Amino acid sequence: TIIGGSFYTVLGQTRNNLARLNADGSLDTSFNPNPNGPVNCISLQADGSMVIGGQFTTLGGVARNYIGKVNSAGVLDQTFNPNMEWHVYCLATQPDGKILVGGGFYQVGSVEKRFIARLEANGSLDTSFGAVVDHIVYGMALQPDGRLLIVGTFSTVSNFYYSYAARLQSNGSVDSSFYCGLNGITECIALQADGKILIGGGFTSIS
């Protein structure tokens, strides 16, 4: 089990913000990526590696702004460096290996890309993904059909009014068939096996 958050020890042993536990709950002492700030999200990859997002600026002692990748042993992938401009709050990996990223950032590398982006498997920006949101994306869930559910503090998506929750097509355009009508920020989202959607946050009414 991989655990991330804002902590400094696990079972009395030093571990900064990211650790792996054995099946019996004991600490896996071989795994220590050592991010220097909180970890908000982790996305496991098909090859056993993991993409990590959060509020850190180094990973394994190497500069990595808010997102990085380590292999199954916890060793930094030196080739993967999207260089986000601000915090990453959520991640999802598509079956083709592309990585969806949500957060509070305004840029990916030197390219303006606000609050949501899609990366190629190597960490470069996928410029074909056209989603535009006006504020922070806190959570996301990828549906089996490739559509992406997002939640956060935004009020518009691609200039359409979608308060705090929306669904995107695989190219990033808005799915107009999905509308929640929430009245407050939404911070987390998950899919059930039957396709129903669970959401949580600061809202008090829906639709």
Side-chain angles (χ1 to χ4, degrees), residues 44-128:
L44 297 176
Q45 307 298 292
D47 62 359
S49 63
M50 59 206 76
V51 177
I52 301 155
Q55 295 159 246
F56 52 84
T57 56
T58 68
L59 193 56
V62 178
R64 281 297 181 275
N65 289 324
Y66 313 112
I67 189 170
K69 185 178 182 182
V70 298
N71 65 18
S72 59
V75 177
L76 180 68
D77 181 342
Q78 298 281 352
T79 67
F80 184 94
N81 189 15
N83 192 27
M84 313 302 284
E85 175 266 341
W86 196 241
H87 299 166
V88 171
Y89 292 117
C90 53
L91 293 164
T93 301
Q94 297 181 172
D96 63 2
K98 292 186 178 184
I99 302 155
L100 296 148
V101 186
F105 51 84
Y106 277 53
Q107 289 184 184
V108 180
S110 60
V111 180
E112 182 175 333
K113 198 69 176 172
R114 297 187 176 207
F115 309 117
I116 188 168
R118 185 164 65 191
L119 307 176
E120 303 289 352
N122 64 5
S124 62
L125 180 65
D126 178 1
T127 57
S128 71

Side-chain angles (χ1 to χ4, degrees), residues 90 94 100-102 113-118 128-135 137 139-151 154 156-160 162 165-179 189 197:
C90 53
Q94 297 181 172
L100 296 148
V101 186
K113 198 69 176 172
R114 297 187 176 207
F115 309 117
I116 188 168
R118 185 164 65 191
S128 71
F129 185 76
V132 178
V133 300
D134 69 342
H135 214 255
V137 174
M140 57 175 53
L142 187 62
Q143 296 186 167
D145 63 6
R147 290 182 293 179
L148 179 70
L149 294 152
I150 59 171
V151 297
F154 53 84
T156 66
V157 181
S158 299
N159 297 317
F160 293 98
Y162 283 89
R167 185 163 62 191
L168 307 177
Q169 305 287 359
S170 59
N171 64 358
S173 62
V174 179
D175 179 357
S176 60
S177 70
F178 181 90
Y179 183 76
I189 186 164
I197 302 158

